[in-house]
Amino acid sequence: MNEHTRSSLPAGFMRRLPPLAALAYFEVAARTRSFAAAAKELSVTPAAVSHQIKALEEQLGVALFIRHHRRVTPTAAALSILPRLQDGFAALVDAVDELRSQGEAKDVITVCAEPLFATKWLVPRLHRFYARHPEAEVRLQASLHSVDTAPGGPVTASAFSRAGIDLAIRFGYGEYPDMDSSLLLEVALEPVVASATGRSTIAEVLDEGALLTDNTAGRSNERFGWREWCEAAGKPFPADAREHHFGNGLLALEATLTGQGAWLVCPELVETELAAGTLRRLSEVALPCRFHYFIVSPERASPRAIVTDFRDWLLDERRLASGQEPETAVPG
């Protein structure tokens, strides 16, 4: 049966349902196992949560919580329905968001990317997208939430919908079930240093031991840092190395430019600095990563045209960067 013609709900089904607010209070209380925590999340008082739960129990004729002195425990009956209730709320949120998106400007797209990539790769190229689509508005979010923590991590259409994101450029494994995913940029790390410093060789850098590390993917179990680079280059890792860690690539870039040490980075993300001569490669040895940059968006039968256009433009930028002709002609 087509989902748009589904008619399995019985007539008068709304009269059989408790108030939606009471079900929402129950979901939060069961998930947090605390009326106080539920009240904080819902911005109400614990008494209001307790009142809604009691009314729901009376209407359903079943106990939902065992009350203790300072906590509550969901009953077996409550736990048995909680996953289905959560799925129902997620489906309801998706449906409402889809309706809301149809009323929003059709040429607005919200894109999320890791801060270094957003700043150094995406923003300098955006003018070419606007040349194709002058009517468009790109709302760009620079966030580490676009970095994977595990293969097949929490990257779902519902998560995108809740965050208001149409498309993300994720730094990770590329394993995203039920999502559209395309490789945008393969990552291999090379050592760079500020040209103004006196360090001229990788040997000098390793002897000095001032090594900068970007912890962008630090929430995952992957490791691709100086130890791994030294192993790939056949060089001993300095015993007295002082590794300075930075929470994202933009911080590591600033530390490198101000002469604080050498940094391992994907050269495509600092091509402006390399071309201008403010940064200099120290070695041609590149450390391949399991993480790469992927274009990711929810898998839909009919995505909004602006999402498709932005994805096509990103893929054309990938072709241009590799010396190929774009599939779509670029104005001007």
Side-chain angles (χ1 to χ4, degrees):
M1 181 185 299
N2 188 295
E3 64 177 348
H4 300 297
T5 59
R6 185 177 294 138
S7 57
S8 59
L9 292 175
F13 74 94
M14 285 298 294
R15 290 193 296 272
R16 296 172 53 186
L17 288 177
L20 190 61
L23 291 173
Y25 279 47
F26 160 71
E27 188 281 327
V28 179
R31 172 165 44 83
T32 61
R33 302 195 174 207
S34 166
F35 285 0
K40 184 176 181 180
E41 181 173 326
L42 294 163
S43 299
V44 297
T45 64
V49 175
S50 179
H51 174 75
Q52 289 281 359
I53 298 299
K54 183 178 180 181
L56 184 60
E57 290 176 321
E58 291 175 352
Q59 183 172 354
L60 297 175
V62 62
L64 297 174
F65 292 92
I66 300 171
R67 275 79 167 172
H68 307 283
H69 178 54
R70 291 185 180 277
R71 60 186 178 88
V72 294
T73 303
T75 63
L79 291 174
S80 70
I81 68 165
L82 181 60
R84 283 176 290 167
L85 186 64
Q86 290 172 327
D87 288 343
F89 276 125
L92 186 60
V93 168
D94 287 347
V96 171
D97 283 347
E98 185 172 339
L99 285 173
R100 183 178 289 119
S101 69
Q102 294 179 19
E104 294 176 347
K106 63 183 179 66
D107 294 318
V108 174
I109 181 171
T110 300
V111 178
C112 183
E114 175 265 322
L116 181 65
F117 185 92
T119 303
K120 304 304 295 181
W121 194 96
L122 189 54
V123 169
R125 291 169 164 82
L126 268 181
H127 67 95
R128 292 201 285 265
F129 177 72
Y130 285 127
R132 289 189 188 184
H133 302 281
E135 76 289 350
E137 178 185 345
V138 179
R139 297 175 180 174
L140 181 58
Q141 300 178 8
S143 170
L144 288 175
H145 289 301
S146 62
V147 179
D148 287 358
T149 56
V155 184
T156 64
S158 295
F160 271 53
S161 182
R162 286 192 297 270
I165 296 168
D166 296 302
L167 180 146
I169 298 160
R170 292 198 67 85
F171 183 48
Y173 298 92
E175 300 175 15
Y176 312 110
D178 303 320
M179 303 289 283
D180 282 328
S181 173
S182 300
L183 176 65
L184 180 58
L185 178 64
E186 291 187 341
V187 173
L189 304 179
E190 297 180 18
V192 299
V193 70
S195 299
T197 69
R199 307 176 185 97
S200 60
T201 67
I202 188 65
E204 289 177 348
V205 167
L206 293 176
D207 285 344
E208 185 175 331
L211 308 177
L212 309 183
T213 299
D214 167 15
N215 290 341
T216 294
R219 296 177 296 170
S220 77
N221 292 323
E222 296 299 320
R223 292 292 177 266
F224 26 83
W226 280 101
R227 285 185 183 275
E228 291 75 17
W229 184 89
C230 285
E231 183 177 347
K235 298 179 182 297
F237 183 74
D240 57 348
R242 301 186 311 279
E243 286 195 79
H244 303 292
H245 295 264
F246 296 88
N248 65 62
L250 288 178
L251 298 176
L253 172 60
E254 185 62 24
T256 308
L257 289 171
T258 53
Q260 297 179 44
W263 176 37
L264 288 175
V265 64
C266 178
E268 288 84 355
L269 300 184
V270 290
E271 56 187 11
T272 300
E273 289 77 10
L274 290 170
T278 54
L279 287 182
R280 180 169 50 81
R281 281 183 169 98
L282 284 171
S283 171
E284 294 299 321
V285 176
L287 174 67
C289 297
R290 281 195 64 196
F291 273 31
H292 304 297
Y293 288 97
F294 294 87
I295 309 166
V296 181
S297 62
E299 202 173 61
R300 293 194 178 107
S302 301
R304 289 196 301 140
I306 189 67
V307 177
T308 301
D309 292 341
F310 197 82
R311 173 185 286 274
D312 290 345
W313 168 73
L314 285 171
L315 292 174
D316 276 347
E317 288 295 323
R318 182 185 71 183
R319 295 183 188 98
L320 283 170
S322 61
Q324 303 174 38
E325 288 294 323
E327 289 192 354
T328 307
V330 180

